[in-house]
Amino acid sequence: MAAHGEGILRDREKASRPSQLSEREPALPKTRQEIVNGPNVEKGLVRVRTAGESGRRGIHPFQFLAIIWRSSSRVSMAVNILWPFVPAAIVAHNVIHDHPVVNFTLAYIAMVPCANLIGFAGQELARKMPHMLGVLTETTIASAVEIILFMILLVHDQFYVIQAAILGSILANMLLCLGLCFFAAGLRREEATFHAAVSEVGSNLLLIAGLGLAIPTVFERSVMNSEFGLTTEDIADRVLHISRIISVLLIIAYGVFLFFQMHTHHGIYDEIFEHDEERDADGHKDRAKAKLTLTECILALGASVALVTFIAIALVAEIPAIVEKHHISDPFMGLILVPLVEKAAEHLTAIDEAWDNQINFALSHCIGATIQTAMLNAPLVIIAGWIRVVPMDLNFELFDIVMLILAVITVGNVLRDQKSDYLEGFLCIIVYVAIAVAAYYFPNPHEEGGHEAAGGATGEAGAATGEVATHALRHLGLL
């Protein structure tokens, strides 16, 4: 009887299993769209993830302003206190003409809240998209400040400042932002771990991009220091052609990288970012916060981009006077001051994510923004100069390019074990400060020729650059 009873129980269990599986099946994603966007997706033309759903439509002015003021974190909200500097900077630019330090300082401070608004609006928009597309969109939007500044500098023929700012932006993301992220994460937990797919792919791309950017500089120094019978104008012309070709190649490489992330390997990154959202220390608070509607995101982005453009024009207009009359060198201006303000939004976002234990998101913002600067924004400036028929090239100072390659190697070693702590973060910050000190004391290669000669691929600029390169090589013991 006992055996007979056990057999009946087994039959009942077998019969019940199909029904249990059928009950579970509706909860599983059935299509690729469900896998990418999650099961809780609104029907309609625009699909919005639950994490980004505001529950509203259109524009609600008071709620819109309240959400913007609250921003994404306490640090970002504190930055909003600087908004009065925005109208002050615009008025000073149009009224005060004899005090460049005042105008530059007001514009520099005013850029921070404008960049913060771009970053916050981009973050709100990214919440409404699939994970990988959202991260890419947020990084691209945050780079709007950098692109606007580069283009305005290009219009003013500030080629030398652009070159320094390109490398300075990369160094600020790789060393300062990454160091602050590791330090912030290390203050709340003993060790932060991140996925190899984020760190290894990123560090490899950084090395390749760094080598690509270094090729014109190495070519120019090699030809200049050898007996090839080429004039300075011939060398400058060849460097310019090489820079333009490499810019096109870097953009193609960036497009392949996007295809890799967004199409063939998107599942890996989606899983990584979903895991980060699950371990978000403040995830419950973020989900409870009021969010911008899609219309409000677009409005905030449009307003902030317009303000950044006005402030950037005011900022760039004062650079010649600051460099010539107040002993601030072009290398320090481009390598340190300009990148710090243009990357403010990305840095605040990444640090907040690291603090909340979303270290993979933080790394994606640091490394992703660096890759975008090296493989997209910098080549776009070269191509824009090509269209304007101006000699904008990738012939950097030897000091700048050596610091870039060493920084890439250093960060690659830091990321190798997929772990971080506050010590590694602090050391990265120290390295960045050391580079900033060296940049402050680095001389202008065009001091005798005046500021208008900055970045021009003329014989005088080439000779001055050669002298600086020779001094640098002597200090390194290579000559």
Side-chain angles (χ1 to χ4, degrees):
M1 290 292 292
H4 179 69
E6 289 176 2
I8 293 173
L9 287 173
R10 289 194 205 98
D11 292 339
R12 288 178 179 175
E13 287 175 2
K14 289 179 181 179
S16 65
R17 285 172 190 165
S19 62
Q20 291 173 1
L21 288 173
S22 62
E23 289 174 2
R24 293 193 196 105
E25 282 178 356
L28 297 175
K30 294 286 188 179
T31 65
R32 181 176 178 274
Q33 187 68 31
E34 285 186 88
I35 293 172
V36 173
N37 294 321
N40 297 322
V41 181
E42 286 187 350
K43 295 181 178 180
L45 183 62
V46 179
R47 297 180 178 273
V48 178
R49 284 201 303 127
T50 304
E53 178 54 53
S54 64
R56 301 178 292 115
R57 289 186 178 182
I59 301 173
H60 301 76
F62 293 107
Q63 195 165 2
F64 171 65
L65 294 175
I67 294 172
I68 288 176
W69 175 258
R70 187 201 67 234
S71 197
S72 58
S73 64
R74 291 181 180 179
V75 177
S76 296
M77 185 168 66
V79 168
N80 287 329
I81 298 174
L82 302 177
W83 272 107
F85 284 91
V86 175
I90 295 174
V91 171
H93 173 65
N94 292 288
V95 176
I96 303 175
H97 302 291
D98 299 327
H99 300 282
V101 175
V102 174
N103 291 352
F104 181 85
T105 304
L106 288 174
Y108 195 84
I109 298 174
M111 184 68 77
V112 178
C114 295
N116 183 54
L117 179 56
I118 288 181
F120 176 67
Q123 189 176 9
E124 288 288 295
L125 183 62
R127 290 176 183 270
K128 305 177 186 299
M129 301 178 179
H131 290 98
M132 196 59 245
L133 179 60
V135 171
L136 176 63
T137 301
E138 188 176 352
T139 304
T140 304
I141 290 173
S143 294
V145 181
E146 180 175 82
I147 295 173
I148 291 170
L149 270 171
F150 285 172
M151 293 305 169
I152 294 174
L153 286 166
L154 184 66
V155 171
H156 286 77
D157 294 336
Q158 299 280 349
F159 307 138
Y160 190 89
V161 177
I162 295 174
Q163 290 173 337
I166 289 171
L167 300 189
S169 177
I170 297 172
L171 291 174
N173 276 318
M174 278 198 306
L175 294 174
L176 181 63
C177 184
L178 190 66
L180 289 172
C181 288
F182 285 170
F183 188 79
L187 292 179
R188 297 191 72 177
R189 54 200 63 86
E190 183 178 347
E191 200 174 61
T193 58
F194 42 87
H195 201 279
V198 177
S199 60
E200 289 183 5
V201 173
S203 58
N204 290 338
L205 275 172
L206 286 177
L207 184 58
I208 292 169
L211 290 175
L213 293 175
I215 289 173
T217 304
V218 175
F219 175 86
E220 193 266 351
R221 298 302 187 278
S222 301
V223 174
M224 179 180 292
N225 296 329
S226 302
E227 298 297 332
F228 289 105
L230 296 175
T231 64
T232 304
E233 290 74 14
D234 290 335
I235 295 173
D237 186 61
R238 296 188 183 205
V239 170
L240 185 61
H241 286 298
I242 292 171
S243 299
R244 290 169 176 174
I245 294 171
I246 287 178
S247 296
V248 174
L249 293 176
L250 287 175
I251 291 176
I252 294 172
Y254 186 72
V256 175
F257 168 61
L258 292 184
F259 184 77
F260 176 87
Q261 277 194 322
M262 302 295 299
H263 187 71
T264 60
H265 291 70
H266 72 94
I268 299 174
Y269 292 96
D270 286 339
E271 184 180 350
I272 293 170
F273 295 137
E274 284 175 6
H275 176 66
D276 256 27
E277 285 188 342
E278 291 172 0
R279 66 179 185 179
D280 183 1
D282 295 333
H284 59 290
K285 295 180 182 179
D286 290 336
R287 287 187 289 270
K289 288 180 180 178
K291 300 174 180 64
L292 295 178
T293 65
L294 181 61
T295 307
E296 290 171 343
C297 289
I298 296 173
L299 176 63
L301 285 172
S304 55
V305 167
L307 289 172
V308 162
T309 304
F310 286 123
I311 299 300
I313 292 172
L315 185 71
V316 171
E318 306 300 333
I319 289 179
I322 294 294
V323 171
E324 291 177 0
K325 300 178 182 179
H326 297 280
H327 308 293
I328 301 295
S329 66
D330 271 342
F332 186 74
M333 178 68 70
L335 201 64
I336 305 300
L337 292 182
V338 172
L340 282 180
V341 71
E342 75 184 26
K343 292 295 183 181
E346 293 173 358
H347 292 183
L348 291 174
T349 299
I351 294 167
D352 180 57
E353 289 168 342
W355 179 260
D356 292 338
N357 201 27
Q358 292 183 291
I359 193 67
N360 288 301
F361 272 114
L363 276 179
S364 295
H365 281 107
C366 293
I367 299 177
T370 307
I371 293 171
Q372 191 169 64
T373 298
M375 304 182 74
L376 180 64
N377 297 352
L380 283 178
V381 176
I382 303 301
I383 292 174
W386 192 358
I387 294 172
R388 293 189 69 242
V389 196
V390 294
M392 180 66 215
D393 57 29
L394 295 174
N395 184 18
F396 301 101
E397 286 291 348
L398 186 63
F399 168 77
D400 296 346
I401 206 69
V402 170
M403 290 300 101
L404 173 67
I405 299 300
L406 292 178
V408 170
I409 295 172
T410 301
V411 170
N413 286 330
V414 170
L415 297 176
R416 183 179 297 174
D417 60 353
Q418 286 91 54
K419 296 177 184 178
S420 70
D421 50 49
Y422 73 87
L423 176 60
E424 290 180 337
F426 182 75
L427 293 177
C428 286
I429 297 171
I430 289 296
V431 172
Y432 182 79
V433 173
I435 294 174
V437 172
Y440 181 79
Y441 287 102
F442 199 90
N444 284 324
H446 53 271
E447 284 176 345
E448 294 182 2
H451 190 268
E452 291 78 6
T458 61
E460 294 179 0
T465 304
E467 291 178 7
V468 174
T470 303
H471 286 303
L473 288 171
R474 284 175 181 168
H475 283 296
L476 290 171
L478 299 178
L479 287 178

